[in-house]
């Protein structure tokens, strides 16, 4: 019984992290819908969104640097 409760809590935590990154990605590209926005404001934690946003920006900047260094001659 305790193992099933732990696995359920782990699934909820993992899915909320995935939902946070999905919401940040959607907001990053400007395609967030109203129902997800309401869910984020009512259930999400600000610190999670800030951390996910910083990670998304770092990934974006790294991709831009990689593309520019591939395109520009040395």
């Amino acid at each position: 019984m305790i193992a099933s409760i732990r696995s359920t809590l782990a699934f909820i935590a993992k899915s909320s992290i995935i939902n946070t990154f999905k919401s940040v990605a959607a907001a990053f590209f400007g395609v967030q819908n109203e129902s997800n926005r309401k869910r984020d404001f009512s259930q999400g934690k600000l610190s999670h969104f800030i951390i996910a946003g910083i990670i998304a920006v770092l990934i974006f900047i790294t991709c831009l640097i990689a593309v520019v260094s591939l395109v520009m001659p040395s």
Side-chain angles (χ1 to χ4, degrees):
M1 170 116 171
I2 294 176
S4 67
I5 293 172
R6 284 184 185 167
S7 66
T8 304
L9 290 176
F11 175 76
I12 291 171
K14 190 180 288 187
S15 69
S16 70
I17 291 171
I18 292 170
N19 285 339
T20 301
F21 277 103
K22 283 182 183 178
S23 294
V24 168
F28 194 75
F29 293 107
V31 294
Q32 183 78 302
N33 63 14
E34 185 67 20
S35 62
N36 286 346
R37 188 190 64 79
K38 286 181 181 179
R39 183 197 67 217
D40 294 342
F41 279 106
S42 65
Q43 297 176 0
K45 289 187 175 182
L46 179 62
S47 61
H48 294 170
F49 287 105
I50 290 172
I51 292 168
I54 290 171
I55 291 170
V57 168
L58 291 175
I59 290 171
F60 180 71
I61 290 172
T62 304
C63 289
L64 282 179
I65 291 171
V67 167
V68 168
S69 38
L70 286 172
V71 172
M72 296 296 293
S74 297

